[in-house]
Amino acid sequence: MNFLLENKEISEKIFAIVPQHITQEVPYPSDAWKELYHILQAKGYFADRSIVGSHIEALLNPYKKNVLDFFCRIIETLEPTTQDLLSHQSTLFALLSSDKTSVVNFAMKLIKEIASEKDFDFQAFADNFVLCFTIQKIAKSQLIGVEILEKYYQKQAPTNPDYREQLAVLFTVPNAKLQEKVASLLTTYFSGEGLAEVVAPYQDYLKGKAQDLLASLSPSENSENSENSENSHTPKIAPVARIPHTWDDLLFLIGDCIRERSPLALDLFFEGLNQLQAQ
């Protein structure tokens, strides 16, 4: 310890490469590491803030959970500033697709700290946020993400109506508070024709107030009905129009099934498969 404290330049070089070398196991108890980082941080040894970025980027690696949790604790000890986090927000967004729930929760906690900043890249966040919709046991983080969406939409209405189909996937999470927030977001900012059809596959998942908020939705009327009588008998587009009619379409739908895991996507996939096999 004394050697490190007496040789600042050497210490900075050593700790800058920690993420490159601690990849399999943490060689000493993480509390000891945390205490060491804390002391050096307090003495101003980490003025070069690139160390924050290198530790955040380490979380992208497929390391064991204990190693990733170690890096999370060290990042907290480094006390990242708002600018530190904004400079590495794209990496934080990418961490939302991690298969380690502790990493997703940690990334969302840091994202929340910068979500109201002027330089926060909301669109990049929204695009990456959907990647954690099907991850289990992170309802608290998913709720934080939905609240970030809500605060942004209060200032700027959403411009991508198709995003509601991805948001609806969150109804599969058995958390009443999260479902209520999603239902409120959909009915407030994504209401209109087709919302009932988007929500319909998830009716069996709905709980409590989410059911109440969505109860008034009714299947949208075909827009042709509002036109003059000459076009009033134009038939509605049947749901079968969304069923894949070629093998290429079916391959694209497989991607939707993997990403969304929604009952509707699965139903369309199997129906399309049956029809193609029968040709």
Side-chain angles (χ1 to χ4, degrees), residues 5-279:
L5 292 175
E6 293 169 1
N7 296 272
K8 181 178 180 180
E9 185 176 347
I10 294 176
S11 295
E12 290 175 339
K13 291 181 178 180
I14 290 174
F15 286 93
I17 62 174
V18 164
Q20 301 172 29
H21 294 278
I22 298 182
T23 60
Q24 300 298 323
E25 296 291 342
V26 181
Y28 302 103
S30 59
D31 286 342
W33 280 98
K34 186 175 181 180
E35 181 182 359
L36 179 57
Y37 271 85
H38 179 75
I39 292 172
L40 296 177
Q41 166 72 10
K43 291 184 175 294
Y45 275 43
F46 302 130
D48 181 357
R49 302 307 287 173
S50 64
I51 192 172
V52 176
S54 64
H55 281 65
I56 291 177
E57 289 171 3
L59 297 177
L60 292 169
N61 294 297
Y63 298 154
K64 294 179 180 179
K65 182 180 183 300
N66 68 309
V67 175
L68 294 172
D69 289 347
F70 161 75
F71 283 120
C72 289
R73 297 184 70 182
I74 296 305
I75 292 167
E76 287 182 326
T77 304
L78 292 172
E79 300 176 352
T81 65
T82 297
Q83 190 53 52
D84 289 335
L85 298 179
L86 286 172
S87 297
H88 302 286
Q89 59 181 310
S90 59
T91 305
L92 293 175
F93 299 157
L95 292 174
L96 295 178
S97 63
S98 173
D99 63 348
K100 302 293 190 299
T101 57
S102 59
V103 172
V104 176
N105 290 333
F106 179 72
M108 188 63 81
K109 182 176 70 171
L110 297 183
I111 290 170
K112 181 181 179 180
E113 293 182 17
I114 58 174
S116 60
E117 296 296 323
K118 179 181 177 181
D119 293 330
F120 181 69
D121 190 343
F122 172 79
Q123 191 55 56
F125 165 73
D127 292 342
N128 284 273
F129 180 38
V130 301
L131 300 177
C132 73
F133 283 5
T134 58
I135 298 177
Q136 299 180 355
K137 300 180 180 180
I138 60 163
K140 184 177 180 180
S141 290
Q142 291 163 333
L143 180 59
I144 290 173
V146 172
E147 289 173 341
I148 291 174
L149 296 179
E150 181 181 44
K151 289 179 181 179
Y152 182 85
Y153 292 153
Q154 288 172 350
K155 301 175 183 179
Q156 177 69 50
T159 57
N160 179 16
D162 293 337
Y163 197 67
R164 65 185 182 179
E165 296 186 14
Q166 295 171 307
L167 279 173
V169 175
L170 286 171
F171 286 133
T172 62
V173 180
N175 181 286
K177 189 173 182 180
L178 173 61
Q179 289 190 2
E180 179 185 351
K181 183 64 71 173
V182 173
S184 176
L185 201 68
L186 289 175
T187 54
T188 302
Y189 301 104
F190 293 91
S191 60
E193 184 178 359
L195 181 56
E197 286 79 3
V198 169
V199 173
Y202 306 97
Q203 289 293 338
D204 291 341
Y205 295 98
L206 299 180
K207 298 174 177 288
K209 293 184 179 179
Q211 288 180 314
D212 298 335
L213 287 169
L214 299 171
S216 61
L217 294 178
S218 58
S220 54
E221 294 296 325
N222 191 300
S223 59
E224 297 293 337
N225 290 338
S226 63
E227 299 182 359
N228 57 47
S229 58
E230 182 179 349
N231 297 320
S232 62
H233 297 293
T234 302
K236 294 183 179 181
I237 299 176
V240 73
R242 297 180 62 186
I243 295 173
H245 293 296
T246 68
W247 290 104
D248 286 342
D249 290 342
L250 191 71
L251 288 174
F252 279 110
L253 188 56
I254 290 175
D256 292 337
C257 292
I258 295 173
R259 183 179 66 254
E260 300 176 11
R261 300 184 187 177
S262 71
L264 179 58
L266 290 172
D267 288 345
L268 292 172
F269 170 78
F270 286 115
E271 181 61 28
L273 180 62
N274 289 335
Q275 291 189 15
L276 288 169
Q277 288 178 327
Q279 289 179 1

